[in-house]
Amino acid sequence: MSRLLVFLLIFLFAFSFYTNIASAQIYTTEKLITVDTTKQMIYAWNEGRLVNQSPVSTGMYYTPTIKSSQVKEEFRIYKKYDLQDMKGNYPPYEPYYLKNVPNIMYFYKAYAIHGAYWHNKFGSKVTHGCVNEPVDFSKWLYDWAPLGTRVIVF
């Protein structure tokens, strides 16, 4: 009986520190976007409450999505475009050219959150560093998040 009690106490102690980002309390008085590159999920928060979420695709092995911990400044949406052509060449991957990419929100240098009509691999790392979202969700997020919205990528 004592072994069972010790095991139960260790189990409860170990999992008392586990927090799921979707259920975590976020303390902020502003809108906030978080991107979980491990779970391939994006979360929209307003005043500390989760208001929407979606699966996403983030960067591949040689073109990872930048994380907030890698730079000193905060990520914030600094530029938005309804539509924009995007192109790039990041070896060892093939060059790409995409017309009319929808709902683009740049948050750090050339890193952006945007809709992706050319694939349906959300939940997988398939991008050249951007955060790809389903087009319907990207429209919702684009309309919801004003310029200056903070973005945390982890």
Side-chain angles (χ1 to χ4, degrees):
M1 182 68 169
S2 64
R3 281 186 174 175
L4 178 61
L5 184 59
V6 169
F7 176 77
L8 184 59
L9 288 173
I10 291 171
F11 179 81
L12 290 174
F13 179 77
F15 283 96
S16 66
F17 295 103
Y18 173 78
T19 304
N20 182 339
I21 188 66
S23 63
Q25 295 253 338
I26 301 291
Y27 297 102
T28 181
T29 57
E30 60 185 4
K31 290 182 176 183
L32 170 68
I33 297 168
T34 59
V35 179
D36 184 334
T37 60
T38 301
K39 292 183 180 178
Q40 294 293 291
M41 289 292 293
I42 192 167
Y43 303 96
W45 305 85
N46 192 19
E47 297 182 355
R49 291 183 310 135
L50 182 63
V51 294
N52 210 341
Q53 62 184 325
S54 175
V56 294
S57 293
T58 62
M60 296 179 282
Y61 183 79
Y62 292 108
T63 55
T65 302
I66 193 162
K67 294 185 174 143
S68 300
S69 61
Q70 293 175 278
V71 297
K72 291 184 180 179
E73 68 249 40
E74 285 187 334
F75 295 158
R76 291 197 178 263
I77 297 171
Y78 69 89
K79 195 182 303 182
K80 293 173 72 170
Y81 294 105
D82 294 337
L83 290 172
Q84 184 183 40
D85 296 349
M86 292 184 141
K87 65 180 179 175
N89 187 7
Y90 303 97
Y93 307 117
E94 292 293 319
Y96 65 92
Y97 178 75
L98 298 165
K99 291 206 54 81
N100 297 321
V101 177
N103 309 313
I104 301 169
M105 299 185 293
Y106 287 96
F107 62 89
Y108 180 74
K109 297 186 179 182
Y111 291 92
I113 300 167
H114 59 76
Y117 60 79
W118 56 92
H119 75 80
N120 192 23
K121 296 178 183 174
F122 305 106
S124 302
K125 295 181 177 188
V126 299
T127 79
H128 295 91
C130 285
V131 178
N132 287 187
E133 317 163 284
V135 173
D136 289 346
F137 182 82
S138 74
K139 174 67 173 145
W140 178 88
L141 192 65
Y142 184 86
D143 292 341
W144 176 83
L147 287 173
T149 299
R150 190 165 51 125
V151 177
I152 299 174
V153 181
F154 58 96

